[in-house]
Amino acid sequence: MTSDSHPHLGAFLKARRAQLTPRECGLPDTGSPRKVAGLRREEVAALAAISVDYYTRLEQGRVRASAPVLATLARALRLDEDQTRYAYELAGRGDARPRRRSAQRVRPAVRRLLDQLAHTPALALGRRLDVLAWNPAATALYTDFAAVPADRRNYVRLLFTDPAMRALHREWKHDARDAVAALRMEAAAEPDDPELARLVGELSVQDADFRTWWAEHRVITAGYGTKHYRHPVVGDLTLDCDTWASPDGSGQRLMVLTAEPGSDAHDALRILTSWAADNRPSPAASP
């Protein structure tokens, strides 16, 4: 064992994973007998988006955990604030504990703008591409965001886990791969964000495409492009997608989908939003 080893951290990690069940961590429960209590090493490694070999060496005290890895493990193992502080101290990283992040709040001006775009789908996206607010046109195009639990209301998560959202995108693989690349940019800006680590871990376990594309380390800045949809009400839609960053430095952005006036897609959007208004109540943006 080297002088940099941290056996006490390894013992803590091992004890903590023994206290958790796959269901608590969003993992599928196969129903087959488990040889060890709690989570397997392979499952913790997948949730934390690190290799099994590296996690094994952490538990054995043969390698020192970096601050970003500790942040991902804190989320993977569902550590509370005291447990997280304890893990950082055991690892000798007491000064590198992640800062408490303020809640993401949409500015009133952005909410007003969303409401005024009557026939134009628009979303306010926050850190990790969380869906913070939306207008009725976005609900008509995508899904009822109000019915999605707030902690699951993430654009990338929905793109990979919601069958209706997946079916909506005629070029799903292209759009989903771009979304992963945009999320990679988020990871570069916030490498110790535990919520981002949790999102990446969950999607890596659940979806082979996400796991492959995340490993590519491809990055893009989502600025503008074209989206191709196949909507169950109005059929095929080709829309321009433009994204503007908020000037307040919050990292939030406004995503707007438009069509050329007089085009078939423009007429379809107006039909879609009118149909939505007639058939279900318009949901408000998230509080």
Side-chain angles (χ1 to χ4, degrees):
M1 193 170 291
T2 69
S3 59
D4 285 339
S5 65
H6 293 267
H8 299 299
L9 174 64
F12 174 66
L13 295 176
K14 185 176 182 179
R16 179 56 186 165
R17 70 178 170 88
Q19 298 168 0
L20 297 171
T21 65
R23 178 172 296 181
E24 285 179 293
C25 299
L27 296 172
D29 190 351
T30 62
S32 59
R34 303 176 71 86
K35 295 180 180 180
V36 296
L39 299 180
R40 301 185 181 97
R41 284 175 174 170
E42 294 82 359
E43 291 168 331
V44 176
L47 286 170
I50 60 178
S51 71
V52 178
D53 177 68
Y54 182 68
Y55 179 74
T56 299
R57 286 185 287 147
L58 280 174
E59 278 201 0
Q60 294 173 346
R62 294 192 289 121
V63 65
R64 188 185 187 199
S66 66
V69 167
L70 286 170
T72 66
L73 287 173
R75 285 307 307 178
L77 294 171
R78 300 298 195 267
L79 303 185
D80 61 25
E81 187 173 348
D82 289 339
Q83 290 170 326
T84 300
R85 183 183 300 111
Y86 180 63
Y88 274 78
E89 294 294 342
L90 290 178
R93 304 281 186 185
D95 294 336
R97 287 194 301 271
R99 303 182 304 275
R100 183 184 294 274
R101 286 172 171 78
S102 59
Q104 302 186 84
R105 299 186 183 280
V106 179
R107 291 188 298 121
V110 174
R111 291 186 182 277
R112 289 195 298 271
L113 179 58
L114 289 174
D115 291 339
Q116 291 170 15
L117 295 172
H119 299 289
T120 303
L123 301 172
L125 303 175
R127 295 190 299 268
R128 305 172 295 272
L129 303 185
D130 290 339
V131 179
L132 304 181
W134 56 92
N135 64 358
T139 297
L141 176 63
Y142 287 116
T143 189
D144 184 4
F145 293 105
V148 180
D151 63 346
R152 311 292 294 175
R153 204 179 289 148
N154 176 274
Y155 184 80
V156 183
R157 179 184 276 118
L158 291 171
L159 200 55
F160 278 89
T161 63
D162 186 333
M165 181 77 90
R166 184 183 284 246
L168 175 68
H169 290 75
R170 284 158 52 197
E171 298 181 355
W172 180 86
K173 284 198 171 184
H174 174 275
D175 294 343
R177 187 166 176 256
D178 278 357
V180 173
L183 195 64
R184 262 290 179 193
M185 288 293 290
E186 293 283 321
E190 297 283 350
D192 62 344
D193 182 353
E195 292 292 340
L196 178 58
R198 176 187 177 188
L199 174 64
V200 170
E202 287 182 2
L203 294 180
S204 295
V205 170
Q206 295 173 15
D207 194 281
D209 284 327
F210 181 92
R211 188 163 58 249
T212 298
W213 295 333
W214 185 258
E216 290 178 346
H217 286 262
R218 176 173 172 262
V219 293
I220 62 169
T221 300
Y224 62 92
T226 303
K227 300 287 188 183
H228 303 276
Y229 300 107
R230 177 157 293 145
H231 197 276
V233 174
V234 295
D236 289 355
L237 287 165
T238 298
L239 303 176
D240 292 323
C241 180
D242 291 271
T243 306
W244 287 276
S246 174
D248 62 1
S250 65
Q252 295 179 16
R253 67 209 73 176
L254 184 67
M255 174 177 159
V256 181
L257 295 139
T258 59
E260 183 73 24
S263 67
D264 290 343
H266 182 264
D267 294 340
L269 274 183
R270 300 185 74 86
I271 293 171
L272 179 60
T273 51
S274 297
W275 171 86
D278 291 341
N279 286 274
R280 58 179 178 264
S282 298
S286 60

